[in-house]
Amino acid sequence: MAKLGLWANAVGLVISIAGTLLLFLHTTDKYHSAIQDIGSIAVAYLGLVLLGVSVSVTGVALLLRTKHD
């Protein structure tokens, strides 16, 4: 279970970093910043960040479960 926990944690971190970078790139681009519908796009990227956080927390939970077994 420890390997699975480490992998889940790493995948979650990669997803969160990718979502954060996409959000940053999207909001700093002049063309995309002028779009009026930026709110829904930003919410989608924030959802990606939160997905990564939840996967990472699941990995930590698996690591903690392994230590108690």
Side-chain angles (χ1 to χ4, degrees):
M1 282 296 224
K3 265 190 172 177
L4 180 63
L6 286 174
W7 275 105
N9 197 358
V11 168
L13 287 175
V14 168
I15 292 172
S16 293
I17 289 169
T20 303
L21 288 175
L22 286 171
L23 179 62
F24 177 75
L25 291 173
H26 193 86
T27 56
T28 56
D29 186 19
K30 286 184 181 180
Y31 173 74
H32 288 107
S33 295
I35 297 175
Q36 297 297 324
D37 198 27
I38 189 108
S40 63
I41 296 168
V43 167
Y45 288 135
L46 289 174
L48 186 64
V49 171
L50 290 176
L51 172 69
V53 169
S54 65
V55 170
S56 185
V57 168
T58 302
V60 170
L62 287 171
L63 285 172
L64 291 175
R65 182 175 176 216
T66 303
K67 287 184 179 182
H68 290 298
D69 287 343

